Amino acid sequence: MADAGPAHLILAVETSCDDTCAAVVTAGGEIRSNVVASQGLLHERYGGVVPEVASRRHLEVTGPVVADALERAGVELAGVDLVAATRRPGLIGALLVGLSTAKALAAAWELPFTPVDHLHGHVVASTLGERPIEAPYLCLVASGGHTFVARVDHPASYAVLGRTLDDSAGEAFDKGARLLGLGYPGGPAIDALAAEGDPGAFDFPRSRPGAELDFSFSGLKTALLYTVRDIGEDEVRERAADLAASYQRAIADVLCLRLREAVERERVDRVAVGGGVAANSELRARVGRLGEELGCEVWIPGLALCTDNAAMIAAAARFLEPMHYPTYLDLDASARAVEPVAKGA
Ligand code: KG4
Ligand code: ZN
């Protein structure tokens, strides 16, 4: 049970990028509803997320998505005890829609409100459900915008042990997929294609920058670019599955290597993964095996809790101090990521 104060039912809204999300979660971490309206198809033709298009779609669907989440949970707004929303980081226009909507809903009922950092949501996604992880634990977060390994001593915060110095793992997937002529988002496309390929067919670099637990994926992306140029269009088409499998193997290798080093260094025997890349089938299997090998208990959330969702935002809100009406009314969204100050270390 979380130390969440009096709030029993939490309504959370998340619109930091291209998914419009709302969820109802109990203070004990039970997910009553978790609705995601994906804009994937809308952005596919541009090969990436177009910020203005994303904001406009959020404006259209945030209301209905919130209504849907409440209905699926079998509650009305009057029955909600706390409202939460993603405040940062992300696309500023997209964030503003969800944050403003959530603040307005809270204000209309004079409810408390909790602003949440999106990355904190990914870190604590495994605290939800029937087998909640308990601190201390290590969490590998690999998403479209960020990649880091964190130590969680109390779920109100986390300490980053190592992070990517350039591209995120999700960007590596998305940029790699573009080089292979696959659609957007690239992660699921590479994941599916890799299942038919030989992961040992191409030898891609595994970068380990510096002595810390940092990551770097830009060299890997460049290596794929050169390989694609060298072998030519026809061979790329013929061997796309081998390229995808080898590229995916390189990303999973680096992520698992750093996770292993973090476990060995921190001597923490509980490990979780989060973020969209944690939906990757190879990474999921490999992290499971790593746990067995190192004698760690592993939490790999269901796919809906890895990719962007509002249940994880509610999860984080359970551990934070809420703001009371009307102090949150002039709270602003912020595009930038802010490193947390770890508590309870
Ligand atoms: O966490 P997320 O949904 O959004 C951000 O916070 O960025 O992560 C999105 C990223 C994208 O780069 C997408 O390609 C990647 O997660 N992704 C995957 C898979 N599903 C989503 N990457 C690899 N394999 C997947 N199955
Ligand atoms: Zn995310």
Side-chain angles (χ1 to χ4, degrees), residues 278-303:
N280 183 263
S281 50
E282 170 152 11
L283 183 64
R284 297 170 78 83
R286 294 276 299 279
V287 170
R289 285 208 296 276
L290 186 67
E292 280 170 26
E293 216 182 290
L294 299 176
C296 295
E297 250 196 293
V298 167
W299 277 257
I300 305 173
L303 299 193

Side-chain angles (χ1 to χ4, degrees), residues 122-157:
H122 281 309
V123 168
V124 298
S126 292
T127 65
L128 293 171
E130 283 169 14
R131 187 181 154 253
I133 196 168
E134 278 177 29
Y137 67 93
L138 298 180
C139 186
L140 167 70
V141 172
S143 73
H146 300 85
T147 294
F148 59 89
V149 182
R151 180 185 170 111
V152 182
D153 285 299
H154 185 283
S157 189

Side-chain angles (χ1 to χ4, degrees), residues 5-100:
H8 180 60
L9 280 183
I10 305 165
L11 168 68
V13 180
E14 144 67 43
T15 61
S16 65
C17 189
D18 61 341
D19 292 319
T20 316
C21 318
V24 176
V25 171
T26 69
E30 183 198 334
I31 301 171
R32 294 277 172 89
S33 65
N34 191 17
V35 179
V36 179
S38 171
Q39 300 183 8
L41 293 175
L42 191 63
H43 299 281
E44 198 179 10
R45 74 184 104 143
Y46 305 109
V49 178
V50 182
E52 278 69 30
V53 174
S55 312
R56 266 178 243 142
R57 180 54 66 91
H58 285 311
L59 263 181
E60 287 163 12
V61 302
T62 301
V65 165
V66 167
D68 194 17
L70 289 169
E71 194 184 321
R72 282 167 196 256
V75 282
E76 305 206 339
L77 200 51
V80 167
D81 300 287
L82 171 74
V83 180
T86 307
R87 181 190 184 193
R88 67 154 66 101
L91 303 171
I92 189 68
L95 282 164
L96 265 175
V97 177
L99 182 70
S100 310

